[in-house]
Amino acid sequence: MNSKKQVPALECYLKLLKGERDEQRLAGLFLATKFCTGDDHGSIYRIYDAVGDQFLDRLLMSGMGKATVEGLTKLYDSGCINVLASSMYSLQDGSHSKALAMRLLQLVLAKIPLETICAKYPSELTSMVAVIAKQFALLHNAFKFDALHLLTVILSSNYAAPVHNSLRLMLNDSWTTYMRVGIVAVLQNRVASAEKLQALTLAESMISIVGENWLIDQNELLNDSEIVPIPDDRCLLLVLESSRVEVAVLLNEIAYMKYEEKQSVNGEAISLKLQNLAVAFSLIEKIIKLVSSVCGDEEARPGSPVSESTLGKVFAGITETIGVVLEYLQDAKDHGQRKGDDLLASVRVVGSYFAEAPFACKEKIHNLLEHMLSITMEIEGCKMLASLGGHNSIMECLVKMIGLNSTGMDNSTIFMACDTIINLLLRREDIQVQFEGSIQVHLLTALASWTENTNDQSVIMMASTICSLIFDSTSEEALVNHPNVGSIILNKLSQLVGRSLTTSRQDVSDDSKANVDLHR
């Protein structure tokens, strides 16, 4: 008898759901929740067909930002992430139903802590990222920006590591090409600044996941006629140019806010600008690394997608931007500013550039070098620099400067970098970061070569001090077993330390008194 009563009841609910007024449809939905059970798939499909996705879409849009966390928690606990992951994959590309699923995910991500979702559903988020990436590439309407927003929120989150790891394991890498196509479309068209910044943030996340070569990857979607191929260097040039524009604008705005309006760096407005600046700087650093890799691999050059003409444009653009950064640092020096994430990030990007092109902007960099490195004289400066990964960057820069010493690199410049390394190593326990083992080994090797044929006491003392501090922070087993450390290097380093001790005991001249602290 119950089933006989339910059939007419369902028909009544369906009539309400097909009504002309929203009030009728809402009443029908409310009554349907009392009638249907979660496993009654037949009735659920009939209800969905009756109400239509247009009404559900409007219902979701009216609830964006207004839905209670209590109600979304129930939706989340019911397993909606699993349902969305499976439905997104099966729904037709560009369909309203797929857009509706994306908006529902956007609503859930806005209200449920992303840390919780990333930890519990990394594989489901991974599959949805791949699907949304295709929509991001294919769509040419407002939903394209919904896709951009979703992808940026998921992949740029501080909690996205499980999703990143899962994406790296995907056998089908077509999603990375869809990402590139979508980002290029946003950056090369007239869109709002906020959307361009999101596209740059997404590009930075992509490089973090799959590496710098993503910018020049030649993968093609041979089976997708809807995707128009883009030139091999288009993504690289667009990301660089957009990043350069953001750096110039943001540095100008930040300088005005700090020095003219006297705003605190902790203010909400300036904090957002600093966050965007960090993304632009990171992209420029990654492009510097990419260009260095391409130029350094002579065997790969003939088949490289980066032409000599493109490399010239990239290098010229980066050099111009470094000039803007140096002007910002000069402005900070003139105002007596030595602290701040903006200054540390500026120093880091200049260091990355200087390591690859030590003779470019040489005079400007040298004039500011002492000011740039002075931030590590205090523990807070060391902590901030290390939090940005600058400790490893400075080691890499020092290795390259030592290698160029024979070509005319000024020792005073190298000594400034050495002082910074010593400050960081002495404070390694306080700043609580790890120095990369491979970078430390490269530095030890460079120091051994630098001092092998010199009698300059300052060079010997500086090099041996850094060696001793690295030895103190590294286990003997890890050092001896490292593939790039052989008996020849170890012998050279032993002789270096021995020479420094002998020199400090024998020489009591005025010049050597400056090395007393190093000896201690």
Side-chain angles (χ1 to χ4, degrees):
M1 291 182 64
N2 288 338
S3 61
K4 290 181 180 180
K5 291 181 180 179
Q6 287 176 348
V7 172
L10 175 60
E11 296 303 325
C12 292
Y13 302 152
L14 292 177
K15 286 182 180 179
L16 283 173
L17 291 170
K18 294 177 181 178
E20 295 182 357
R21 301 194 309 275
D22 287 350
E23 293 84 353
Q24 292 175 304
R25 294 179 175 182
L26 285 170
L29 279 176
F30 176 75
L31 293 172
T33 62
K34 306 295 183 182
F35 172 81
C36 288
T37 59
D39 57 355
D40 188 358
H41 297 148
S43 296
I44 292 174
Y45 276 120
R46 292 190 67 189
I47 290 170
Y48 178 81
D49 289 338
V51 72
D53 54 17
Q54 295 280 357
F55 176 72
L56 291 176
D57 187 28
R58 288 195 292 113
L59 195 62
L60 277 178
M61 287 301 294
S62 66
M64 282 295 202
K66 300 178 183 179
T68 61
V69 175
E70 187 184 356
L72 280 169
T73 300
K74 289 183 178 295
L75 181 64
Y76 174 76
D77 291 340
S78 70
C80 71
I81 297 295
N82 284 319
V83 174
L84 287 172
S86 60
S87 63
M88 272 194 192
Y89 184 80
S90 58
L91 293 172
Q92 183 180 356
D93 290 332
S95 67
H96 205 78
S97 299
K98 182 161 281 189
L100 183 64
M102 287 167 53
R103 280 190 170 160
L104 183 56
L105 176 63
Q106 187 175 352
L107 186 60
V108 172
L109 293 180
K111 298 297 181 180
I112 305 298
L114 196 55
E115 179 181 10
T116 302
I117 302 176
C118 287
K120 189 173 181 179
Y121 298 104
S123 60
E124 288 80 3
L125 284 176
T126 297
S127 66
M128 284 191 280
V129 163
V131 172
I132 297 170
K134 187 175 183 181
Q135 303 309 294
F136 180 42
L138 292 176
L139 297 177
H140 299 288
N141 52 33
F143 287 115
K144 188 182 195 74
F145 298 104
D146 286 341
L148 170 62
H149 176 72
L150 272 173
L151 293 168
T152 305
V153 167
I154 295 172
L155 297 183
S156 67
S157 164
N158 292 331
Y159 311 108
V163 181
H164 288 192
N165 293 333
S166 182
L167 284 167
R168 292 187 187 103
L169 297 175
M170 287 188 68
L171 297 178
N172 184 355
D173 62 353
S174 60
W175 69 276
T176 65
T177 304
Y178 285 127
M179 288 285 200
R180 187 165 53 256
V181 171
I183 288 172
V184 165
V186 172
L187 293 181
Q188 71 182 0
N189 286 292
R190 290 187 175 183
V191 299
S193 176
E195 274 73 35
K196 287 207 171 187
L197 281 169
Q198 282 195 4
L200 290 177
T201 302
L202 185 57
E204 201 275 337
S205 297
M206 286 300 301
I207 297 173
S208 298
I209 296 171
V210 298
E212 292 82 7
N213 282 337
W214 172 81
L215 287 165
I216 55 173
D217 203 338
Q218 295 176 294
N219 286 350
E220 295 182 6
L221 297 169
L222 299 178
N223 298 325
D224 202 327
S225 58
E226 297 179 83
I227 298 295
V228 179
I230 58 177
D232 297 331
D233 59 2
R234 178 68 57 80
C235 186
L236 170 62
L237 293 174
L238 280 172
V239 169
L240 174 60
E241 188 58 30
S242 300
S243 299
R244 291 182 59 235
V245 170
E246 292 302 328
V247 166
V249 171
L250 290 169
L251 286 181
N252 183 61
E253 292 176 347
I254 293 170
Y256 182 81
M257 295 170 76
K258 286 175 62 175
Y259 306 132
E260 300 297 329
E261 297 181 346
K262 307 294 184 182
Q263 287 195 25
S264 168
V265 294
N266 296 321
E268 183 177 347
I270 200 169
S271 293
L272 179 59
K273 293 183 186 299
L274 290 173
Q275 181 180 336
N276 293 332
L277 179 65
V279 171
F281 271 167
S282 176
L283 285 168
I284 289 175
E285 283 189 77
K286 286 174 167 60
I287 290 174
I288 291 172
K289 184 177 179 181
L290 172 66
V291 171
S292 174
S293 174
V294 170
C295 292
D297 190 353
E298 296 296 335
E299 294 182 0
R301 285 294 300 126
S304 172
V306 185
S307 66
E308 294 290 344
S309 173
T310 298
L311 284 175
K313 292 178 184 177
V314 171
F315 185 76
I318 292 174
T319 301
E320 183 178 326
T321 295
I322 293 300
V324 173
V325 178
L326 289 172
E327 289 177 6
Y328 182 77
L329 288 170
Q330 181 66 55
D331 200 20
K333 180 181 179 182
D334 295 342
H335 285 84
Q337 293 287 323
R338 294 177 179 270
K339 297 180 180 180
D341 288 350
D342 54 327
L343 300 184
L344 288 167
S346 298
V347 169
R348 173 171 169 165
V349 76
V350 169
S352 298
Y353 172 82
F354 190 51
E356 302 301 334
F359 296 106
C361 305
K362 182 178 180 181
E363 185 176 347
K364 283 186 178 181
I365 292 177
H366 189 273
N367 291 337
L368 284 167
L369 195 57
E370 184 176 0
H371 176 72
M372 289 190 287
L373 298 182
S374 65
I375 58 176
T376 63
M377 294 300 291
E378 299 179 10
I379 184 63
E380 290 305 315
C382 289
K383 285 182 178 179
M384 286 191 289
L385 184 65
S387 69
L388 296 170
H391 56 302
N392 289 318
S393 296
I394 289 178
M395 277 196 174
E396 290 178 332
C397 183
L398 179 56
V399 169
K400 294 189 177 182
M401 284 195 292
I402 289 173
L404 290 164
N405 183 243
S406 60
T407 63
M409 174 64 68
D410 186 3
N411 266 356
S412 64
T413 303
I414 297 177
F415 282 173
M416 289 182 190
C418 287
D419 283 335
T420 303
I421 296 297
I422 290 174
N423 289 335
L424 290 166
L425 287 169
L426 285 172
R427 294 172 170 83
R428 62 185 180 276
E429 293 183 1
D430 295 318
I431 62 180
Q432 296 181 342
V433 294
Q434 295 293 323
F435 291 84
E436 281 190 29
S438 58
I439 295 177
Q440 291 190 99
V441 168
H442 291 158
L443 181 54
L444 288 173
T445 304
L447 292 171
S449 300
W450 184 34
T451 57
E452 186 176 11
N453 298 312
T454 185
N455 293 318
D456 188 323
Q457 295 173 26
S458 298
V459 171
I460 293 171
M461 291 303 302
M462 187 69 79
S464 62
T465 300
I466 294 177
C467 288
S468 299
L469 289 171
I470 292 177
F471 290 154
D472 189 42
S473 63
T474 309
S475 70
E476 181 179 349
E477 182 181 3
L479 186 62
V480 172
N481 292 331
H482 196 282
N484 294 330
V485 177
S487 58
I488 296 177
I489 295 298
L490 291 176
N491 286 335
K492 287 183 179 180
L493 294 173
S494 300
Q495 291 171 14
L496 168 61
V497 175
R499 289 172 65 197
S500 69
L501 295 175
T502 302
T503 299
S504 62
R505 285 198 301 268
Q506 292 178 347
D507 197 304
V508 292
S509 65
D510 291 339
D511 291 339
S512 68
K513 291 179 181 178
N515 296 323
V516 171
D517 288 341
L518 295 178
H519 174 57
R520 289 174 180 170

